[in-house]
Amino acid sequence: MTCGSNPPWKTMLSLLLPAMLSVQTMALMEVYVPEQPVVALHGRDATLNCSFSVPTPFNLSDLSVFWQLTDTKRSVHAYWKGQDQLADQAERFANRTSLFPAQLGLGNTSLLLSGVVVADEGSYTCFVRVQDYGSAALLLQVAAPYSKPIVTLEPEFNLRPGDEVALTCVAYGGYPQADVIWQDASGRNLTDNITSSFVANEEGLFTMTSVLTVVLEPNSTYSCRLINPLLGEEGYASVTITGQNITFPPVALWVTVGLAVCLLVLLIALAAVCRRKIKESCEEARREAEEAKELEEEESKTAMTLLKS
């Protein structure tokens, strides 16, 4: 191939497309692809279904099939003259695509894509030509399940009533970004209090980290629920914070403080009563002593008077 010349499939396609556009309303061929997106699991094989209908039997040598990326027009797979034509196939699809040869005569031009990766996500167009022309595009979406979520508590020790604690939920290796729902034991949604982040690795798969901040209460359960928009609910994990981790649970603290205040008041009142009683007893004893002394002095005076007389 000389420099600057178009690949054969591009030349054929450049002639094919104007003809397709001009006779689209007259074409007898219908090309069918799924209306809903095709969801493929990361690392697995996926079939991009495409079929066509023709009114009469045809020779495979007259069949031309082109699969290409809708947006960039890069070649994914090409077939004409009874065999695959892969010289101009995009490098990342090399050795990963195939048609179903035994099905071509039945109008099945589906493409098998092996080892699906995140980068394969996008729109694919299937062009078919026998005597007439037709094309249709489908959407491929890639999904990867996340690992089971793990919930951790920070800090784990020396917790006190009213402390703010951070609950962290982590899951790995998923795609696309998942929805994260935090709930308490009663099912109340706590999602407004969270911060979530998604970091992609070199394969495009995400590590999800979600942090929920709560004010510490005893015997509370918090759950992290992970929902993959393509695969549905994937994982669930929970953590329970019990009073064993808390020095003084809030309820017990107020009870203790109340009892201490009552005891202090009681002791003060008791001390005041005792002091008053002791003071009264001392005064009474002093009065009795004075009365006894006065009586003794009077008796002594009476005795002296009798002796003198």
Side-chain angles (χ1 to χ4, degrees), residues 6-22 63-80 85 88 124-130 132-136:
N6 288 327
W9 76 270
K10 287 188 177 180
T11 302
M12 180 176 292
L13 199 56
S14 65
L15 297 175
L16 189 87
L17 290 176
M20 289 174 61
L21 295 174
S22 62
L63 174 66
S64 298
V65 180
F66 300 93
W67 277 94
Q68 71 175 28
L69 297 175
T70 306
D71 296 335
T72 64
K73 312 303 180 186
R74 299 288 301 276
S75 175
V76 177
H77 197 97
Y79 173 97
W80 72 81
Q85 306 288 343
D88 299 296
Y124 292 74
T125 300
C126 173
F127 295 94
V128 182
R129 176 186 181 276
V130 180
D132 298 305
Y133 308 88
S135 69

Side-chain angles (χ1 to χ4, degrees), residues 149-165:
I150 299 174
V151 177
T152 57
L153 173 66
E154 180 67 31
E156 295 185 43
F157 306 102
N158 300 322
L159 301 176
R160 296 186 176 184
D163 284 352
E164 281 194 350
V165 294

Side-chain angles (χ1 to χ4, degrees), residues 9 50-52 73 98 177 207 220 222 237 244 273:
W9 76 270
C50 179
S51 61
F52 65 95
K73 312 303 180 186
S98 62
Q177 292 188 11
T207 293
S220 297
Y222 301 94
Q244 296 176 352
V273 171

Side-chain angles (χ1 to χ4, degrees), residues 144-151 169-176 178 205-209 224-228 231-237:
Y146 284 83
S147 65
K148 179 177 174 56
I150 299 174
V151 177
C169 180
V170 179
Y172 305 91
Y175 189 87
L205 303 179
F206 290 115
T207 293
M208 183 283 301
T209 304
C224 170
R225 194 178 302 275
L226 203 63
I227 300 177
N228 189 312
L231 301 178
E233 183 171 341
E234 284 203 283
Y236 171 89

Side-chain angles (χ1 to χ4, degrees), residues 204-215:
L205 303 179
F206 290 115
T207 293
M208 183 283 301
T209 304
S210 181
V211 180
L212 169 68
T213 302
V214 295
V215 176

Side-chain angles (χ1 to χ4, degrees), residues 187-200:
R188 183 166 57 99
N189 195 323
L190 306 174
T191 306
D192 292 340
N193 301 325
I194 71 171
T195 301
S196 299
S197 63
F198 293 84
V199 179

